[in-house]
mmCIF file of all heavy atoms in Angstrom:
data_model
loop_
_atom_site.group_PDB
_atom_site.id
_atom_site.type_symbol
_atom_site.label_atom_id
_atom_site.label_comp_id
_atom_site.label_asym_id
_atom_site.label_seq_id
_atom_site.Cartn_x
_atom_site.Cartn_y
_atom_site.Cartn_z
ATOM 1 N N THR A 106 -29.992 29.600 58.236
ATOM 2 C CA THR A 106 -30.101 28.201 58.629
ATOM 3 C C THR A 106 -28.721 27.555 58.686
ATOM 4 O O THR A 106 -28.390 26.849 59.689
ATOM 5 C CB THR A 106 -31.000 27.429 57.642
ATOM 6 O OG1 THR A 106 -32.194 28.110 57.496
ATOM 7 C CG2 THR A 106 -31.287 26.013 58.145
ATOM 8 N N TYR A 110 -26.814 26.544 62.241
ATOM 9 C CA TYR A 110 -26.418 25.170 62.541
ATOM 10 C C TYR A 110 -24.929 25.114 62.852
ATOM 11 O O TYR A 110 -24.470 24.402 63.765
ATOM 12 C CB TYR A 110 -26.728 24.266 61.317
ATOM 13 C CG TYR A 110 -26.333 22.834 61.509
ATOM 14 C CD1 TYR A 110 -26.872 22.128 62.580
ATOM 15 C CD2 TYR A 110 -25.450 22.156 60.695
ATOM 16 C CE1 TYR A 110 -26.555 20.790 62.770
ATOM 17 C CE2 TYR A 110 -25.118 20.844 60.833
ATOM 18 C CZ TYR A 110 -25.665 20.146 61.936
ATOM 19 O OH TYR A 110 -25.340 18.826 62.172
ATOM 20 N N SER A 113 -24.308 26.397 66.245
ATOM 21 C CA SER A 113 -24.809 25.473 67.290
ATOM 22 C C SER A 113 -23.937 24.269 67.502
ATOM 23 O O SER A 113 -23.838 23.774 68.589
ATOM 24 C CB SER A 113 -26.236 25.055 66.864
ATOM 25 O OG SER A 113 -26.656 23.959 67.649
ATOM 26 N N ARG A 114 -23.260 23.813 66.387
ATOM 27 C CA ARG A 114 -22.547 22.567 66.487
ATOM 28 C C ARG A 114 -21.034 22.686 66.502
ATOM 29 O O ARG A 114 -20.350 21.778 67.048
ATOM 30 C CB ARG A 114 -22.968 21.683 65.305
ATOM 31 C CG ARG A 114 -24.373 21.139 65.431
ATOM 32 C CD ARG A 114 -24.574 20.386 66.709
ATOM 33 N NE ARG A 114 -25.785 19.607 66.691
ATOM 34 C CZ ARG A 114 -26.951 19.967 67.207
ATOM 35 N NH1 ARG A 114 -27.067 21.155 67.730
ATOM 36 N NH2 ARG A 114 -27.985 19.180 67.159
ATOM 37 N N PHE A 177 -33.138 26.858 68.205
ATOM 38 C CA PHE A 177 -33.871 25.641 67.767
ATOM 39 C C PHE A 177 -32.901 24.498 67.558
ATOM 40 O O PHE A 177 -33.147 23.359 67.948
ATOM 41 C CB PHE A 177 -34.678 25.854 66.463
ATOM 42 C CG PHE A 177 -35.927 26.619 66.751
ATOM 43 C CD1 PHE A 177 -36.060 27.964 66.393
ATOM 44 C CD2 PHE A 177 -37.041 25.964 67.300
ATOM 45 C CE1 PHE A 177 -37.286 28.633 66.640
ATOM 46 C CE2 PHE A 177 -38.206 26.643 67.577
ATOM 47 C CZ PHE A 177 -38.325 27.969 67.240
ATOM 48 N N PHE A 178 -31.747 24.761 66.918
ATOM 49 C CA PHE A 178 -30.780 23.728 66.681
ATOM 50 C C PHE A 178 -30.188 23.231 68.019
ATOM 51 O O PHE A 178 -29.871 22.059 68.197
ATOM 52 C CB PHE A 178 -29.636 24.184 65.750
ATOM 53 C CG PHE A 178 -30.091 24.337 64.315
ATOM 54 C CD1 PHE A 178 -29.848 25.508 63.614
ATOM 55 C CD2 PHE A 178 -30.774 23.270 63.699
ATOM 56 C CE1 PHE A 178 -30.253 25.612 62.305
ATOM 57 C CE2 PHE A 178 -31.182 23.436 62.368
ATOM 58 C CZ PHE A 178 -30.921 24.597 61.693
ATOM 59 N N ILE A 181 -31.933 20.433 69.623
ATOM 60 C CA ILE A 181 -31.814 19.085 69.055
ATOM 61 C C ILE A 181 -30.604 18.467 69.697
ATOM 62 O O ILE A 181 -29.496 19.010 69.627
ATOM 63 C CB ILE A 181 -31.654 19.143 67.525
ATOM 64 C CG1 ILE A 181 -32.888 19.777 66.908
ATOM 65 C CG2 ILE A 181 -31.421 17.757 66.972
ATOM 66 C CD1 ILE A 181 -32.794 19.981 65.371
ATOM 67 N N PRO A 182 -30.738 17.351 70.381
ATOM 68 C CA PRO A 182 -29.627 16.780 71.136
ATOM 69 C C PRO A 182 -28.454 16.467 70.198
ATOM 70 O O PRO A 182 -28.628 15.928 69.095
ATOM 71 C CB PRO A 182 -30.184 15.497 71.713
ATOM 72 C CG PRO A 182 -31.716 15.555 71.555
ATOM 73 C CD PRO A 182 -31.990 16.550 70.480
ATOM 74 N N ARG A 183 -27.287 16.777 70.650
ATOM 75 C CA ARG A 183 -26.054 16.540 69.867
ATOM 76 C C ARG A 183 -25.916 15.024 69.577
ATOM 77 O O ARG A 183 -25.294 14.661 68.564
ATOM 78 C CB ARG A 183 -24.835 16.978 70.657
ATOM 79 C CG ARG A 183 -24.366 18.363 70.295
ATOM 80 C CD ARG A 183 -23.222 18.760 71.165
ATOM 81 N NE ARG A 183 -22.889 20.118 70.901
ATOM 82 C CZ ARG A 183 -21.674 20.520 70.457
ATOM 83 N NH1 ARG A 183 -20.750 19.633 70.200
ATOM 84 N NH2 ARG A 183 -21.416 21.806 70.200
ATOM 85 N N ILE A 185 -27.852 13.061 68.461
ATOM 86 C CA ILE A 185 -28.446 12.723 67.178
ATOM 87 C C ILE A 185 -27.427 12.898 66.046
ATOM 88 O O ILE A 185 -27.257 12.047 65.189
ATOM 89 C CB ILE A 185 -29.774 13.501 66.973
ATOM 90 C CG1 ILE A 185 -30.821 12.981 67.937
ATOM 91 C CG2 ILE A 185 -30.250 13.383 65.559
ATOM 92 C CD1 ILE A 185 -32.180 13.484 67.726
ATOM 93 N N ASP A 186 -26.763 13.999 66.113
ATOM 94 C CA ASP A 186 -25.690 14.231 65.074
ATOM 95 C C ASP A 186 -24.621 13.155 65.230
ATOM 96 O O ASP A 186 -24.175 12.556 64.254
ATOM 97 C CB ASP A 186 -24.954 15.543 65.331
ATOM 98 C CG ASP A 186 -25.869 16.769 65.201
ATOM 99 O OD1 ASP A 186 -26.861 16.797 65.887
ATOM 100 O OD2 ASP A 186 -25.586 17.667 64.385
ATOM 101 N N GLU A 187 -24.243 12.951 66.511
ATOM 102 C CA GLU A 187 -23.137 12.031 66.782
ATOM 103 C C GLU A 187 -23.467 10.622 66.325
ATOM 104 O O GLU A 187 -22.629 9.929 65.734
ATOM 105 C CB GLU A 187 -22.803 12.045 68.267
ATOM 106 C CG GLU A 187 -22.118 13.387 68.618
ATOM 107 C CD GLU A 187 -21.959 13.551 70.148
ATOM 108 O OE1 GLU A 187 -22.594 12.790 70.910
ATOM 109 O OE2 GLU A 187 -21.217 14.450 70.535
ATOM 110 N N ALA A 189 -25.408 9.833 63.953
ATOM 111 C CA ALA A 189 -25.298 9.788 62.489
ATOM 112 C C ALA A 189 -23.840 9.792 62.015
ATOM 113 O O ALA A 189 -23.485 9.159 61.029
ATOM 114 C CB ALA A 189 -26.070 10.952 61.871
ATOM 115 N N ARG A 196 -21.364 15.546 57.226
ATOM 116 C CA ARG A 196 -22.100 16.706 57.822
ATOM 117 C C ARG A 196 -23.279 17.156 57.018
ATOM 118 O O ARG A 196 -24.335 17.431 57.521
ATOM 119 C CB ARG A 196 -21.121 17.900 57.994
ATOM 120 C CG ARG A 196 -20.410 17.942 59.337
ATOM 121 C CD ARG A 196 -21.250 18.567 60.385
ATOM 122 N NE ARG A 196 -20.647 18.374 61.688
ATOM 123 C CZ ARG A 196 -21.248 18.212 62.847
ATOM 124 N NH1 ARG A 196 -22.557 18.218 62.858
ATOM 125 N NH2 ARG A 196 -20.585 18.024 63.964
ATOM 126 N N TRP A 197 -23.030 17.221 55.731
ATOM 127 C CA TRP A 197 -24.060 17.719 54.804
ATOM 128 C C TRP A 197 -25.273 16.804 54.831
ATOM 129 O O TRP A 197 -26.433 17.207 54.890
ATOM 130 C CB TRP A 197 -23.465 17.876 53.420
ATOM 131 C CG TRP A 197 -24.472 18.152 52.389
ATOM 132 C CD1 TRP A 197 -24.724 17.393 51.269
ATOM 133 C CD2 TRP A 197 -25.366 19.271 52.309
ATOM 134 N NE1 TRP A 197 -25.772 17.943 50.571
ATOM 135 C CE2 TRP A 197 -26.156 19.065 51.146
ATOM 136 C CE3 TRP A 197 -25.608 20.406 53.108
ATOM 137 C CZ2 TRP A 197 -27.152 19.978 50.740
ATOM 138 C CZ3 TRP A 197 -26.587 21.293 52.710
ATOM 139 C CH2 TRP A 197 -27.350 21.107 51.576
ATOM 140 N N LYS A 198 -24.963 15.536 54.818
ATOM 141 C CA LYS A 198 -26.032 14.518 54.816
ATOM 142 C C LYS A 198 -26.838 14.613 56.071
ATOM 143 O O LYS A 198 -28.052 14.525 56.095
ATOM 144 C CB LYS A 198 -25.400 13.112 54.621
ATOM 145 C CG LYS A 198 -26.406 11.998 54.723
ATOM 146 C CD LYS A 198 -26.352 11.142 53.448
ATOM 147 C CE LYS A 198 -27.565 10.221 53.467
ATOM 148 N NZ LYS A 198 -27.878 9.773 52.137
ATOM 149 N N ILE A 199 -26.118 14.706 57.205
ATOM 150 C CA ILE A 199 -26.800 14.793 58.505
ATOM 151 C C ILE A 199 -27.698 16.034 58.524
ATOM 152 O O ILE A 199 -28.817 15.951 58.963
ATOM 153 C CB ILE A 199 -25.743 14.932 59.628
ATOM 154 C CG1 ILE A 199 -24.931 13.657 59.708
ATOM 155 C CG2 ILE A 199 -26.419 15.184 60.947
ATOM 156 C CD1 ILE A 199 -23.693 13.751 60.606
ATOM 157 N N PHE A 200 -27.172 17.133 58.024
ATOM 158 C CA PHE A 200 -27.909 18.403 58.026
ATOM 159 C C PHE A 200 -29.181 18.204 57.211
ATOM 160 O O PHE A 200 -30.306 18.592 57.637
ATOM 161 C CB PHE A 200 -27.051 19.510 57.444
ATOM 162 C CG PHE A 200 -27.717 20.840 57.421
ATOM 163 C CD1 PHE A 200 -27.958 21.544 58.628
ATOM 164 C CD2 PHE A 200 -28.085 21.415 56.266
ATOM 165 C CE1 PHE A 200 -28.529 22.780 58.620
ATOM 166 C CE2 PHE A 200 -28.715 22.595 56.227
ATOM 167 C CZ PHE A 200 -28.941 23.320 57.416
ATOM 168 N N ARG A 201 -29.040 17.688 56.039
ATOM 169 C CA ARG A 201 -30.180 17.627 55.086
ATOM 170 C C ARG A 201 -31.214 16.594 55.495
ATOM 171 O O ARG A 201 -32.403 16.858 55.461
ATOM 172 C CB ARG A 201 -29.676 17.324 53.687
ATOM 173 C CG ARG A 201 -30.549 17.794 52.578
ATOM 174 C CD ARG A 201 -29.777 17.588 51.259
ATOM 175 N NE ARG A 201 -29.151 16.265 51.240
ATOM 176 C CZ ARG A 201 -29.775 15.211 50.687
ATOM 177 N NH1 ARG A 201 -30.890 15.302 50.140
ATOM 178 N NH2 ARG A 201 -29.101 14.064 50.732
ATOM 179 N N ARG A 202 -30.702 15.404 55.883
ATOM 180 C CA ARG A 202 -31.659 14.232 56.104
ATOM 181 C C ARG A 202 -32.217 14.237 57.522
ATOM 182 O O ARG A 202 -33.312 13.742 57.747
ATOM 183 C CB ARG A 202 -30.904 12.915 55.828
ATOM 184 C CG ARG A 202 -30.755 12.638 54.393
ATOM 185 C CD ARG A 202 -31.997 11.969 53.824
ATOM 186 N NE ARG A 202 -32.023 10.548 54.183
ATOM 187 C CZ ARG A 202 -33.134 9.906 54.622
ATOM 188 N NH1 ARG A 202 -34.216 10.581 54.743
ATOM 189 N NH2 ARG A 202 -33.128 8.632 54.888
ATOM 190 N N ILE A 203 -31.452 14.764 58.512
ATOM 191 C CA ILE A 203 -31.925 14.598 59.874
ATOM 192 C C ILE A 203 -32.196 15.904 60.563
ATOM 193 O O ILE A 203 -33.297 16.138 61.107
ATOM 194 C CB ILE A 203 -30.836 13.835 60.667
ATOM 195 C CG1 ILE A 203 -30.682 12.426 60.109
ATOM 196 C CG2 ILE A 203 -31.213 13.744 62.158
ATOM 197 C CD1 ILE A 203 -29.458 11.663 60.566
ATOM 198 N N ILE A 204 -31.248 16.834 60.529
ATOM 199 C CA ILE A 204 -31.414 18.076 61.282
ATOM 200 C C ILE A 204 -32.508 18.995 60.709
ATOM 201 O O ILE A 204 -33.359 19.478 61.362
ATOM 202 C CB ILE A 204 -30.087 18.802 61.387
ATOM 203 C CG1 ILE A 204 -29.048 17.929 62.018
ATOM 204 C CG2 ILE A 204 -30.269 20.110 62.141
ATOM 205 C CD1 ILE A 204 -29.345 17.495 63.449
ATOM 206 N N LEU A 205 -32.457 19.167 59.376
ATOM 207 C CA LEU A 205 -33.381 20.092 58.727
ATOM 208 C C LEU A 205 -34.831 19.643 58.954
ATOM 209 O O LEU A 205 -35.628 20.477 59.332
ATOM 210 C CB LEU A 205 -33.014 20.158 57.200
ATOM 211 C CG LEU A 205 -33.186 21.535 56.584
ATOM 212 C CD1 LEU A 205 -32.516 22.609 57.341
ATOM 213 C CD2 LEU A 205 -32.663 21.517 55.170
ATOM 214 N N PRO A 206 -35.154 18.380 58.724
ATOM 215 C CA PRO A 206 -36.570 17.956 58.970
ATOM 216 C C PRO A 206 -36.977 18.201 60.452
ATOM 217 O O PRO A 206 -38.115 18.529 60.693
ATOM 218 C CB PRO A 206 -36.558 16.512 58.630
ATOM 219 C CG PRO A 206 -35.399 16.288 57.752
ATOM 220 C CD PRO A 206 -34.359 17.289 58.149
ATOM 221 N N MET A 207 -36.009 18.097 61.332
ATOM 222 C CA MET A 207 -36.313 18.288 62.766
ATOM 223 C C MET A 207 -36.556 19.732 63.119
ATOM 224 O O MET A 207 -37.252 20.068 64.021
ATOM 225 C CB MET A 207 -35.217 17.733 63.637
ATOM 226 C CG MET A 207 -35.211 16.221 63.742
ATOM 227 S SD MET A 207 -33.873 15.628 64.800
ATOM 228 C CE MET A 207 -34.548 15.944 66.394
ATOM 229 N N ALA A 208 -35.872 20.622 62.346
ATOM 230 C CA ALA A 208 -35.881 22.055 62.669
ATOM 231 C C ALA A 208 -36.990 22.765 61.892
ATOM 232 O O ALA A 208 -37.112 23.985 61.974
ATOM 233 C CB ALA A 208 -34.534 22.694 62.364
ATOM 234 N N LYS A 209 -37.785 22.031 61.148
ATOM 235 C CA LYS A 209 -38.848 22.658 60.280
ATOM 236 C C LYS A 209 -39.696 23.686 61.051
ATOM 237 O O LYS A 209 -39.948 24.757 60.571
ATOM 238 C CB LYS A 209 -39.757 21.542 59.766
ATOM 239 C CG LYS A 209 -39.551 21.197 58.293
ATOM 240 C CD LYS A 209 -40.768 20.488 57.765
ATOM 241 C CE LYS A 209 -40.375 19.094 57.291
ATOM 242 N NZ LYS A 209 -41.537 18.222 57.112
ATOM 243 N N ILE A 212 -37.786 26.771 61.677
ATOM 244 C CA ILE A 212 -37.562 27.551 60.456
ATOM 245 C C ILE A 212 -38.820 28.274 60.074
ATOM 246 O O ILE A 212 -38.789 29.441 59.715
ATOM 247 C CB ILE A 212 -37.046 26.624 59.360
ATOM 248 C CG1 ILE A 212 -35.665 26.104 59.720
ATOM 249 C CG2 ILE A 212 -37.043 27.354 58.012
ATOM 250 C CD1 ILE A 212 -35.135 25.014 58.768
ATOM 251 N N LEU A 285 -40.667 19.432 68.432
ATOM 252 C CA LEU A 285 -39.326 19.467 67.798
ATOM 253 C C LEU A 285 -38.660 18.062 67.913
ATOM 254 O O LEU A 285 -38.285 17.489 66.922
ATOM 255 C CB LEU A 285 -38.439 20.431 68.667
ATOM 256 C CG LEU A 285 -38.203 21.762 67.957
ATOM 257 C CD1 LEU A 285 -37.271 22.565 68.768
ATOM 258 C CD2 LEU A 285 -37.664 21.541 66.564
ATOM 259 N N TYR B 87 -33.675 9.020 65.135
ATOM 260 C CA TYR B 87 -33.978 10.170 64.250
ATOM 261 C C TYR B 87 -35.490 10.345 64.220
ATOM 262 O O TYR B 87 -36.193 9.532 63.647
ATOM 263 C CB TYR B 87 -33.432 9.956 62.857
ATOM 264 C CG TYR B 87 -31.976 9.473 62.868
ATOM 265 C CD1 TYR B 87 -31.592 8.402 62.081
ATOM 266 C CD2 TYR B 87 -31.041 10.129 63.607
ATOM 267 C CE1 TYR B 87 -30.292 7.968 62.075
ATOM 268 C CE2 TYR B 87 -29.720 9.722 63.658
ATOM 269 C CZ TYR B 87 -29.350 8.637 62.863
ATOM 270 O OH TYR B 87 -28.068 8.233 62.872
ATOM 271 N N THR B 89 -37.732 12.169 62.812
ATOM 272 C CA THR B 89 -38.510 12.461 61.685
ATOM 273 C C THR B 89 -38.472 11.282 60.697
ATOM 274 O O THR B 89 -39.075 11.360 59.591
ATOM 275 C CB THR B 89 -38.007 13.725 60.933
ATOM 276 O OG1 THR B 89 -36.650 13.568 60.683
ATOM 277 C CG2 THR B 89 -38.244 14.960 61.773
ATOM 278 N N MET B 90 -37.790 10.224 61.054
ATOM 279 C CA MET B 90 -37.728 9.020 60.196
ATOM 280 C C MET B 90 -38.529 7.880 60.822
ATOM 281 O O MET B 90 -38.480 7.700 62.043
ATOM 282 C CB MET B 90 -36.285 8.617 59.983
ATOM 283 C CG MET B 90 -35.437 9.552 59.245
ATOM 284 S SD MET B 90 -33.856 8.675 58.979
ATOM 285 C CE MET B 90 -32.876 10.098 58.516
#
Side-chain angles (χ1 to χ4, degrees):
Chain A
T106 309
Y110 182 58
S113 165
R114 289 303 195 264
F177 281 105
F178 288 130
I181 299 176
R183 265 176 186 242
I185 289 189
D186 299 55
E187 288 169 347
R196 268 278 170 211
W197 170 241
K198 175 122 191 157
I199 296 169
F200 182 71
R201 204 173 45 94
R202 282 276 281 136
I203 296 167
I204 302 298
L205 216 51
M207 285 179 77
K209 256 199 241 162
I212 293 172
L285 257 185
Chain B
Y87 312 132
T89 54
M90 292 186 196

